[in-house]
Amino acid sequence: MDKMAQENEQSEAKEKGRRSFKAWALEWLETIVVAFVAVTVCFTFLVRVITVDGISMEPTYFDGNRVLVTSLAGEAKQGDVVIVVHALEETIIKRVVATEGQWVDFDMEQGELTVDGTPLKGEAFGIDNGITVVPDRPGLVMEFPQQVPEGCVFVLGDNRPHSTDSRYAAVGMVDKRNILGRVIWDLYPFGRPGQLNR
């Protein structure tokens, strides 16, 4: 009887061991699945990683840089870098230089952007001031001065001579509903410190 009881005890211990391993494995699997779903939801609805394509935002962002973008950072303000969809065939990254109600013009002699009659130099956004004019491309560019309509913003690339932006009729005034989000952090290259509100 003692031997039989001992065998039963051993069998029960083995069964408990199997059950506890199964429970442990199921717990880990559940944790992994929940974490995966949370990360997926976060990167689908809250934040996105966008890879910069092209040279229009140099020297702020270069081709291949990666940035973190969110639509939860509030309304785009002057100076914010935003991701715009449905303006051109591809998604674009630009800087907001004027918001609804403001007047945008270009002083062709000085090579300056003016907002509400005041020159707005690149230094205001932490970039070297450069020549900012409307390209001489009749039919492709907008006529100025222009007032930014309600619900819209006016965007430029930091690399003004090499940027297709709101100066061009193809982009024009950007409807705020077409702003995917605002850049809030620099992710790559790793040597660059991430920063808010660049």
Side-chain angles (χ1 to χ4, degrees):
M1 286 290 289
D2 286 341
K3 190 176 181 185
M4 195 171 209
Q6 203 173 8
E7 283 175 359
N8 280 343
E9 278 179 22
Q10 286 175 348
S11 175
E12 281 175 22
K14 280 183 187 174
E15 188 59 33
K16 270 187 188 176
R18 279 194 211 107
R19 270 185 295 203
S20 65
F21 176 76
K22 279 183 186 175
W24 175 83
L26 282 172
E27 269 182 43
W28 268 103
L29 184 61
E30 186 180 316
T31 301
I32 290 168
V33 168
V34 167
F36 177 76
V37 169
V39 167
T40 301
V41 167
C42 180
F43 277 91
T44 302
F45 299 105
L46 305 179
V47 295
R48 296 171 191 240
V49 176
I50 300 289
T51 302
V52 176
D53 182 20
I55 63 170
S56 73
M57 281 300 288
E58 291 180 5
T60 308
Y61 295 109
F62 291 84
D63 187 52
N65 285 174
R66 288 185 184 83
V67 294
L68 193 64
V69 175
T70 183
S71 58
L72 302 178
E75 212 165 87
K77 304 179 300 295
Q78 188 180 60
D80 287 343
V81 176
V82 295
I83 305 299
V84 179
V85 295
H86 309 307
L88 298 173
E89 285 183 20
E90 68 277 2
T91 299
I92 58 175
I93 178 171
K94 302 293 174 191
R95 187 180 297 279
V96 175
V97 296
T99 57
E100 57 187 25
Q102 292 187 302
W103 283 90
V104 178
D105 202 358
F106 294 87
D107 183 329
M108 299 301 270
E109 286 181 18
Q110 300 293 319
E112 295 283 8
L113 159 73
T114 65
V115 176
D116 291 333
T118 303
L120 188 60
K121 299 186 176 188
E123 285 94 335
F125 309 121
I127 57 174
D128 289 336
N129 194 46
I131 302 299
T132 307
V133 295
V134 179
D136 186 18
R137 303 186 72 182
L140 297 178
V141 297
M142 295 176 62
E143 291 185 15
F144 292 93
Q146 286 264 354
Q147 186 175 30
V148 183
E150 189 177 341
C152 294
V153 294
F154 188 89
V155 299
L156 290 178
D158 286 353
N159 188 2
R160 308 274 168 84
H162 303 285
S163 174
T164 303
D165 45 41
S166 288
R167 294 170 292 179
Y168 288 83
V171 176
M173 302 294 178
V174 173
D175 191 314
K176 289 179 184 176
R177 291 172 294 185
N178 291 337
I179 295 176
L180 183 68
R182 186 158 64 88
V183 174
I184 56 167
W185 201 258
D186 302 340
L187 292 177
Y188 178 84
F190 302 115
R192 283 177 62 154
Q195 30 184 319
L196 291 168
N197 262 336
R198 188 181 239 302

